[in-house]
Amino acid sequence: MAKIKVIETGDGSSSLYNEALNETYHSSHGALTESRYVFVQSGWDAIREAKKEVTILEVGMGTGLNVILMVEQALKYPDVTIKMTTLEPYPLTAGLLQELNYTALLTDELTPYFEQIHSCNWEEEVAILPNFILTKKKETLETFIAPKNRGFDVIFFDAFAPNKQPEVWSVENLEKCFAATIDQGIFVTYCAKGQLRRDLVSVGYDVERYPGPPGKREMLRGWKK
Ligand SMILES: C[S@@+](CC[C@H](N)C(=O)[O-])C[C@H]1O[C@@H](n2cnc3c(N)ncnc32)[C@H](O)[C@@H]1O
């Protein structure tokens, strides 16, 4: 396994640094700030209104920061059921997860849920809350087969940067995401690369450049219209 160490980001929240890739798991300007802005605010908040059930696919579970932030949203909106599927081919060790400071920065109420999202079984639907159902899948997006019955309202595309892991951003993977997005659903990512924007358009998304989180001018959001 690659050498990974805990770092502190600009807003005081932890992230991880993968030495082999020379890449961090989040923006150095602030992991918590970035996740809240890119995925919660620009993804979930953009589509949740008037919905009783929201399905989310995350590409790259990593530290579970996006997952715990969605548990927080499930507590905030008890009338909405969130079904989140998250893909992670290389789960982190318990030792590393314990060194992260997310539970100290979030409300105490979330601490047991952070532990549960990491300790629960892979490949199973687990009710973390009555209205938060998590399915962790230990696999890549390349091998993932999306369920046929219902697509995803939102895709959180949180892979390592395209120059570090180009294979994850392949047109084939983006086509898979588009096919798995429901009508009026969205694809959000922190990345703002021109090539990605063109690839997202080529697979069918209506793409908007959207103001980025602190330290990043823009991010991309694609709508399936
Ligand atoms: C930028 S980090 C994810 C950050 C994560 N969402 C978090 O909040 O910690 C990218 C993650 O994608 C995972 N990954 C690597 N290759 C992948 C693939 N082919 N498909 C899905 N995930 C992949 C990595 O192991 C890593 O955990």
Side-chain angles (χ1 to χ4, degrees):
M1 176 135 188
K3 195 151 180 233
I4 298 174
K5 63 180 188 201
V6 178
I7 55 165
E8 187 182 314
T9 64
D11 63 0
S13 61
S14 323
S15 185
L16 297 173
Y17 171 72
N18 179 314
E19 259 182 27
L21 288 176
N22 182 23
E23 174 76 331
T24 57
Y25 277 58
H26 304 94
S27 160
S28 58
H29 296 276
L32 187 55
T33 306
E34 177 187 50
S35 286
R36 279 203 192 286
Y37 180 83
V38 175
F39 300 106
V40 179
Q41 229 173 292
S42 314
W44 150 258
D45 274 348
I47 54 93
R48 69 174 162 71
E49 221 171 308
K51 288 210 161 81
K52 285 277 158 236
E53 183 177 301
V54 173
T55 50
I56 301 173
L57 173 66
E58 179 181 38
V59 178
M61 177 183 174
T63 63
L65 179 55
N66 293 331
V67 180
I68 194 65
L69 291 179
M70 290 315 302
V71 173
E72 187 179 43
Q73 295 299 307
L75 289 165
K76 188 170 170 189
Y77 297 99
D79 296 340
V80 184
T81 296
I82 300 170
K83 291 190 170 172
M84 184 162 184
T85 299
T86 185
L87 309 180
E88 180 51 69
Y90 311 112
L92 294 164
T93 60
L96 270 177
L97 292 167
Q98 269 165 18
E99 285 186 57
L100 300 168
N101 68 357
Y102 303 143
T103 52
L105 297 176
L106 299 168
T107 59
D108 289 349
E109 190 185 13
L110 288 168
T111 303
Y113 299 121
F114 189 71
E115 283 154 18
Q116 205 188 339
I117 64 179
H118 285 294
S119 62
C120 71
N121 285 344
W122 293 83
E123 323 304 334
E124 269 177 32
E125 274 198 353
V126 181
I128 305 290
L129 290 167
N131 69 325
F132 188 84
I133 316 298
L134 178 65
T135 307
K136 299 190 297 185
K137 295 190 74 72
K138 205 185 291 184
E139 65 173 318
T140 62
L141 175 58
E142 294 87 311
T143 58
F144 173 64
I145 298 171
K148 291 265 178 291
N149 50 345
R150 192 194 194 289
F152 296 97
D153 294 272
V154 193
I155 297 186
F156 290 175
F157 205 95
D158 202 8
F160 287 129
N163 62 331
K164 304 292 173 159
Q165 281 208 305
E167 67 281 8
V168 190
W169 304 79
S170 68
V171 171
E172 291 74 19
N173 270 359
L174 301 178
E175 274 169 347
K176 185 181 279 191
C177 288
F178 185 74
T181 307
I182 64 160
D183 287 349
Q184 311 305 324
I186 56 174
F187 172 108
V188 272
T189 181
Y190 64 86
C191 180
K193 293 259 179 302
Q195 186 60 53
L196 176 65
R197 193 191 63 76
R198 290 187 289 279
D199 289 344
L200 288 171
V201 169
S202 79
V203 303
Y205 287 108
D206 273 23
V207 183
E208 59 178 325
R209 287 196 176 279
Y210 195 75
K216 281 185 185 157
R217 200 159 54 88
E218 290 178 329
M219 54 173 273
L220 294 176
R221 189 158 76 168
W223 294 83
K224 183 164 180 174
K225 297 234 165 107

